């Protein structure tokens, strides 16, 4: 919001300055016309006049106008002082010439310098505006001293002292107003862009800067990374000590993270007890090293009541993601960092995780062909579209992949089966691309027609990937992940061992995450409640043996950490 306001303000300011400078050119042209047409009426010419002179005069003004535009563009583009100096010198020369040819010390066009004073003060501030005002005043007064006839009293000098004073007063007044406005805007920007509790930038500003800085890094072909940090067990601390003490902890952690920022980094409060750091010109590996430094040092921070926290110290979980072919825009990178943070918190807390993608591994496969690369790129696009339509699906898929990668290790699957399970988890909902957004986001009960449409997403998904050689063994997982052991599933009503083993595994994991996730149409279940529900449906919806193995896996991880 503030960013668009600034751009709008800058555009209007450019328009105002252009109008001032064009006005100064117009009034200067009157002086030059008066010189070339002495004895003629300027505004109402009723007899012959020199077309050549008019043409040359207009052409000269056009040249000056386009030269001004060029110098103005160069000043904005390169920020070089030389272009600004040339632009100023051009207008001083133009005004001085107009004054000299219309009587020098007797000229009525000395006011032309006022245009330069006002425009320069608005554009560059009080200090530079006063400098131009003094230069303009000096030019006029020196002209009076050198060119006016010798007399006991130099009335031209005395009269022009008033004009000189006006130049300085106008520069000071306009400059002071510009300074006040900038201070006021700076205060408003702080109110809009900064978090009231910590003084860090807020969530909205973080997203704006992530997009802008990523564009800069891409243009310079530099790496780009994002870090998301979360205070571990903060809810527990708040419940024990209250929100006021919790706010003190948040401020202390915020100040600590900010103290370690490098030049160019942007630190923000993402929300609640989460913080973010945008890291331009930084690889994921470099970001990991910085994150480890933060993680280790934050444990040394003293906070009142930390003895009630696990390990009796304050800890952070940190997720990192960088620009890649798969995460090619700021939104994707932030989501990836958030997913890495989720993994860090689930696995152990007090750890740093770098985002890894299933598709990254596919791209690195020895047997991948050009057609597969193109198809995978299309799949990535489809997944991005699904994510934009249904953020619940995005988060759900990432978590299911994560659970499946852990569960595959515990099941002792071979490398091929493990890869198939993880790829299946990643793409099991890709068929939702053909389901309307209204159905995906509907919070109420689906109609019969809507339910029939939704139940086709496994078929759509299998159709999308069936021609990818590397994923041929994944097709059954996508097609069967909503089948049930009792035969009451969809789309084909398979039962028992008619359903592939990996599809039965995926069904358990998929259902567990669906139950333990927040959705518009359901209340999130705790892990224990989800375990109870899995057991209740064993033998009907789920393979009972797989259910017990999965519950044991999750419980062991929770107990271990």
């Amino acid at each position: 919001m503030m960013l668009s306001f600034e751009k709008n303000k800058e555009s209007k300011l450019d328009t105002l300055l252009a109008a001032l400078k064009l006005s100064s050119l117009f009034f200067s042209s009157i002086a030059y016309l008066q010189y070339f047409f002495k004895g003629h009426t300027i505004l109402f010419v009723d007899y012959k006049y020199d077309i050549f002179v008019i043409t040359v005069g207009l052409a000269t003004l056009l040249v000056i106008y386009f030269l001004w535009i060029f110098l103005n563009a160069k000043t904005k583009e390169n920020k070089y002082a030389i272009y600004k100096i040339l632009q100023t010198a051009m207008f001083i020369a133009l005004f001085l010439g107009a004054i000299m040819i219309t009587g020098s010390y007797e000229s009525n066009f000395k006011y032309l310098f006022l245009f330069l004073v006002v425009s320069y003060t608005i554009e560059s501030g009080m200090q530079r505006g006063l400098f131009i005002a003094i230069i303009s005043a000096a030019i006029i007064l020196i002209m009076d001293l050198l060119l006016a006839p010798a007399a006991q009293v130099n009335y031209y000098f005395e009269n022009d002292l008033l004009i000189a004073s006006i130049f300085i007063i106008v520069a000071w007044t306009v400059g002071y107003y510009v300074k006040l406005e900038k201070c006021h805007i700076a205060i408003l920007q702080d109110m809009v862009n900064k978090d009231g509790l910590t003084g860090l930038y807020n969530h909205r500003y973080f997203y704006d800067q992530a997009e802008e800085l990523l564009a800069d890094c891409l243009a310079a072909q530099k790496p780009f990374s994002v870090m998301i940090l979360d205070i571990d067990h903060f809810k527990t601390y708040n419940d024990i000590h209250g929100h006021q003490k919790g706010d003190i902890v948040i401020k202390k952690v915020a100040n600590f993270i900010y103290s370690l920022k490098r030049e160019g980094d942007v630190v923000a409060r993402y929300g609640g007890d989460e913080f973010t750091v945008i890291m331009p010109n930084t690889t994921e590996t470099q970001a990991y090293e910085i994150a480890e430094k933060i993680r280790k040092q934050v444990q040394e921070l003293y906070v009142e009541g930390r003895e009630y926290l696990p390990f009796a110290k304050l800890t952070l979980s940190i997720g990192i993601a960088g620009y890649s072919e798969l995460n090619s825009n700021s939104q994707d990178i932030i989501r990836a960092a958030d997913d890495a943070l989720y993994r860090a918190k689930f696995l152990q807390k007090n750890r740093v995780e770098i985002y890894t993608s299933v598709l990254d591994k596919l791209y690195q496969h020895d047997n991948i062909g050009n057609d597969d690369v193109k198809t995978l790129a299309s799949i990535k696009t489809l997944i991005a579209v699904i994510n934009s339509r249904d953020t619940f699906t995005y988060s759900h898929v990432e978590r299911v992949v994560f659970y499946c990668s852990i569960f595959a290790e515990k099941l002792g699957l071979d490398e091929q089966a493990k890869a198939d399970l993880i790829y299946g988890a990643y793409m099991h909902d890709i068929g939702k691309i053909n389901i309307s957004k209204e159905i995906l986001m509907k919070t109420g009960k689906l109609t019969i027609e809507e339910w029939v449409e939704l139940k086709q997403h496994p078929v759509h998904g299998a159709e999308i990937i069936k021609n990818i050689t590397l994923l041929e063994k994944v097709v059954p997982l996508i097609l069967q992940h909503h089948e049930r052991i009792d035969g009451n599933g969809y789309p084909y009503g398979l039962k028992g061992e008619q359903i592939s083993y990996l599809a039965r595994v995926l069904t358990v994991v998929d259902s567990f995450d669906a139950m333990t996730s927040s959705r518009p149409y359901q209340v999130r279940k705790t892990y224990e409640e989800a375990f109870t529900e899995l057991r209740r449906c064993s033998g009907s919806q789920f393979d009972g043996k797989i259910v017990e193995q999965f519950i044991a896996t999750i419980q062991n991880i929770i107990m271990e950490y």
Side-chain angles (χ1 to χ4, degrees), residues 464-483:
I464 289 171
I465 71 158
K466 70 178 183 180
N467 293 322
I468 304 177
T469 306
L470 293 175
L471 298 176
E472 59 184 0
K473 293 183 179 179
V474 178
V475 173
L477 280 73
I478 295 174
L479 199 56
Q480 299 171 11
H481 74 278
H482 281 296
E483 299 286 3

Side-chain angles (χ1 to χ4, degrees), residues 25-160:
L25 288 177
F26 172 74
F27 286 110
S28 299
S29 68
I30 293 177
Y32 285 100
L33 287 172
Q34 282 185 354
Y35 174 75
F36 285 114
F37 294 97
K38 287 178 181 177
H40 296 285
T41 303
I42 299 301
L43 298 177
F44 301 100
V45 178
D46 54 4
Y47 57 94
K48 294 180 181 180
Y49 57 87
D50 194 340
I51 297 296
F52 175 75
V53 173
I54 288 287
T55 304
V56 171
L58 290 175
T60 303
L61 286 174
L62 282 174
V63 169
I64 293 172
Y65 173 70
F66 285 116
L67 181 59
W68 162 58
I69 290 178
F70 170 76
L71 292 173
N72 196 48
K74 283 292 183 181
T75 302
K76 287 189 171 184
E77 180 184 340
N78 299 301
K79 311 291 185 187
Y80 293 152
I82 185 64
Y83 293 112
K84 189 71 177 174
I85 293 170
L86 287 173
Q87 185 184 149
T88 307
M90 179 185 73
F91 277 98
I92 289 176
L94 179 68
F95 299 159
L96 184 58
I99 292 169
M100 292 299 294
I101 64 175
T102 54
S104 64
Y105 59 89
E106 293 182 318
S107 175
N108 294 321
F109 287 90
K110 295 173 185 176
Y111 68 85
L112 286 173
F113 282 109
L114 193 59
F115 287 100
L116 187 62
V117 171
V118 172
S119 62
Y120 212 95
T121 305
I122 292 173
E123 194 171 12
S124 303
M126 182 194 296
Q127 189 174 356
R128 294 185 179 180
L130 283 171
F131 176 75
I132 293 297
I134 292 169
I135 293 294
S136 302
I139 290 172
I140 291 174
L141 295 176
I142 290 171
M143 186 188 303
D144 291 336
L145 291 173
L146 296 179
L147 302 179
Q152 189 172 1
V153 179
N154 191 333
Y155 292 104
Y156 296 103
F157 182 84
E158 287 184 352
N159 291 334
D160 285 343

Side-chain angles (χ1 to χ4, degrees), residues 125-344:
M126 182 194 296
Q127 189 174 356
R128 294 185 179 180
L130 283 171
F131 176 75
I132 293 297
I134 292 169
I135 293 294
S136 302
I139 290 172
I140 291 174
L141 295 176
I142 290 171
M143 186 188 303
D144 291 336
L145 291 173
L146 296 179
L147 302 179
Q152 189 172 1
V153 179
N154 191 333
Y155 292 104
Y156 296 103
F157 182 84
E158 287 184 352
N159 291 334
D160 285 343
L161 278 174
L162 178 61
I163 294 178
S165 300
I166 289 173
F167 289 167
I168 293 171
I169 290 170
V170 167
W172 185 85
T173 306
V174 175
Y176 191 74
Y177 176 79
V178 170
K179 184 179 179 181
L180 283 177
E181 185 201 28
K182 286 181 178 178
C183 289
H184 183 61
I185 289 174
I187 293 170
L188 289 176
Q189 283 179 324
D190 279 351
M191 292 174 64
V192 172
N193 293 332
K194 290 192 175 179
D195 172 60
L197 178 64
T198 63
L200 299 179
Y201 289 116
N202 57 24
H203 184 274
R204 186 206 58 77
Y205 185 83
F206 160 72
Y207 272 95
D208 286 344
Q209 284 296 292
E211 186 172 345
E212 186 176 322
L213 292 174
L214 174 60
D216 291 343
C217 287
L218 291 181
Q221 296 184 325
K222 298 288 186 180
F224 177 89
S225 295
V226 169
M227 181 191 304
I228 302 182
L229 312 92
D230 182 271
I231 303 174
D232 295 328
H233 308 290
F234 185 71
K235 184 178 183 302
T236 302
Y237 185 90
N238 255 351
D239 291 343
I240 295 172
H241 301 288
H243 290 284
Q244 287 185 333
K245 292 287 178 64
D247 287 348
I248 293 173
V249 172
I250 287 175
K251 285 194 283 187
K252 183 168 283 193
V253 172
N255 290 336
F256 176 75
I257 295 171
Y258 187 82
S259 70
L260 295 180
K261 83 182 251 335
R262 307 163 306 160
E263 184 178 355
D265 291 348
V266 177
V267 181
R269 185 183 181 193
Y270 196 52
D273 58 336
E274 288 187 342
F275 305 91
T276 55
V277 184
I278 303 172
M279 311 177 80
N281 310 323
T282 307
T283 64
E284 287 180 332
T285 303
Q286 291 169 331
Y288 180 86
E289 292 171 358
I290 295 168
E292 272 294 299
K293 180 180 178 182
I294 294 172
R295 184 190 67 79
K296 290 175 181 176
Q297 291 188 18
V298 82
Q299 297 178 80
E300 305 303 319
L301 284 180
Y302 175 76
V303 294
E304 184 181 346
R306 68 178 183 176
E307 61 272 13
Y308 296 104
L309 292 170
F311 311 112
K313 57 189 176 183
L314 193 66
T315 61
L316 296 177
S317 294
I318 304 174
I320 292 169
Y323 172 81
S324 67
E325 288 184 1
L326 295 175
N327 296 316
S328 57
N329 60 61
S330 59
Q331 297 283 341
D332 287 345
I333 295 170
I334 293 166
R335 285 198 192 106
D338 201 40
D339 178 60
L341 172 65
Y342 177 84
R343 297 179 190 181

